[in-house]
Amino acid sequence: MTTYPGSCHCGAIQIKYQTPKEPAAMRPGRCSCTFCRRHGARTMGDPEGSVEYRAAPGALSKYRFGLGITDYLVCSRCGAYVGAVMEDDGRLIATLNVNALDIRDSFDPAPPLHVYDGEDEQHRRSRRRKFWMPATLIA
């Protein structure tokens, strides 16, 4: 496993992404929702890997919208969107905004745009179980 560090813009939220993959094998995408598009997010899940988000006291803001099943993680100090977590069957799974990784320049600046409009909760959870990764959130 290789560890790829990252953080929000001000460093108050630290990220530790672990994976057996090399950057060339990682495939981020773009979500078409207004939240992700307004943040310029390029996100990625990795069922073979894991991610840890560690926030300084008072630095983590969680935002929910849409189906209300996901916490979008935003730094309350600098406003950077670093990723999203969802509780599923007693565990936390996540996607990662690769813009918050130190290796962000390794990725396609305009990866494929994915449209998830019309998904109900069951379909959204099912898709995320396949593509998101185990997560730890320390705040």
Side-chain angles (χ1 to χ4, degrees):
M1 287 283 207
T2 303
T3 299
Y4 296 97
S7 69
C8 63
H9 185 253
C10 73
I13 300 174
Q14 294 291 310
I15 299 164
K16 187 187 308 181
Y17 168 50
Q18 294 186 306
T19 183
K21 296 179 182 177
E22 294 296 318
M26 299 175 197
R27 299 281 181 245
R30 292 179 300 144
C31 173
S32 69
C33 81
T34 57
F35 179 87
C36 289
R37 293 189 68 190
R38 288 178 189 220
H39 283 89
R42 296 178 295 162
T43 57
M44 177 178 68
D46 179 2
E48 297 175 40
S50 65
V51 64
E52 176 186 282
Y53 297 102
R54 183 179 297 264
L60 183 66
S61 178
K62 296 177 183 177
Y63 177 65
R64 282 193 177 197
F65 65 99
L67 295 175
I69 61 172
T70 306
D71 287 322
Y72 293 83
L73 308 177
V74 179
C75 179
S76 61
R77 297 178 184 170
C78 68
Y81 163 53
V82 296
V85 296
M86 180 182 82
E87 189 172 321
D88 190 60
D89 292 333
R91 67 185 184 122
L92 207 57
I93 58 175
T95 188
L96 169 66
N97 184 356
V98 299
N99 293 331
L101 290 175
D102 293 352
I103 61 167
R104 68 188 140 274
D105 293 335
S106 301
F107 303 108
D108 183 349
L113 185 66
H114 302 285
V115 179
Y116 304 116
D117 296 345
E119 274 187 331
D120 61 16
E121 182 176 340
Q122 179 183 354
H123 286 96
R124 184 153 300 166
R125 284 185 182 278
S126 177
R127 174 177 51 81
R128 289 176 175 174
R129 282 182 194 117
K130 292 177 192 170
F131 299 110
W132 284 24
M133 65 190 116
T136 304
L137 180 59
I138 303 166

